[in-house]
Amino acid sequence: MSYLLDIRKEERRKKWGYLGINIGDLVYQLIMFILLLGMIFAVYFFVRSLLARSNKSNSIEQKLDRVIELLEKDKRE
């Protein structure tokens, strides 16, 4: 009986190839790789959003300065 099991294992190895690692190890490595990529993307988008906020605040400051200038000019006239 064990001889038949050995033959079936050998057939599976020929069909699928022998990886030498368990499926659980493969799944674990895949999850860790996805988490690593997720952290990299999170840092990237966090920095990008910080830079976008500073650009928006500069734009708002410029608009407010323009409004103040116009109000002061209007008061003088």
Side-chain angles (χ1 to χ4, degrees), residues 8-23 26:
R8 287 183 183 165
K9 284 182 184 177
E10 208 48 51
E11 287 175 1
R12 274 189 270 152
R13 286 182 186 157
K14 286 178 185 175
K15 186 176 179 181
W16 298 102
Y18 183 68
L19 297 175
I21 57 174
N22 293 331
I23 297 298
L26 219 97

Side-chain angles (χ1 to χ4, degrees), residues 10-55:
E10 208 48 51
E11 287 175 1
R12 274 189 270 152
R13 286 182 186 157
K14 286 178 185 175
K15 186 176 179 181
W16 298 102
Y18 183 68
L19 297 175
I21 57 174
N22 293 331
I23 297 298
D25 293 339
L26 219 97
V27 170
Y28 176 79
Q29 291 294 326
L30 183 64
I31 290 171
M32 289 299 119
F33 183 69
I34 290 171
L35 283 175
L36 178 66
L37 285 178
M39 285 186 240
I40 291 171
F41 279 114
V43 169
Y44 169 75
F45 285 116
F46 178 72
V47 170
R48 196 173 113 184
S49 69
L50 285 179
L51 293 175
R53 283 185 197 162
S54 67
N55 288 342

Side-chain angles (χ1 to χ4, degrees), residues 42-74:
V43 169
Y44 169 75
F45 285 116
F46 178 72
V47 170
R48 196 173 113 184
S49 69
L50 285 179
L51 293 175
R53 283 185 197 162
S54 67
N55 288 342
K56 285 182 183 178
S57 66
N58 287 342
S59 173
I60 291 172
E61 286 176 10
Q62 289 174 353
K63 289 177 184 178
L64 285 174
D65 288 342
R66 179 74 178 135
V67 168
I68 291 170
E69 287 175 12
L70 290 172
L71 287 173
E72 288 176 353
K73 184 179 176 185
D74 199 32

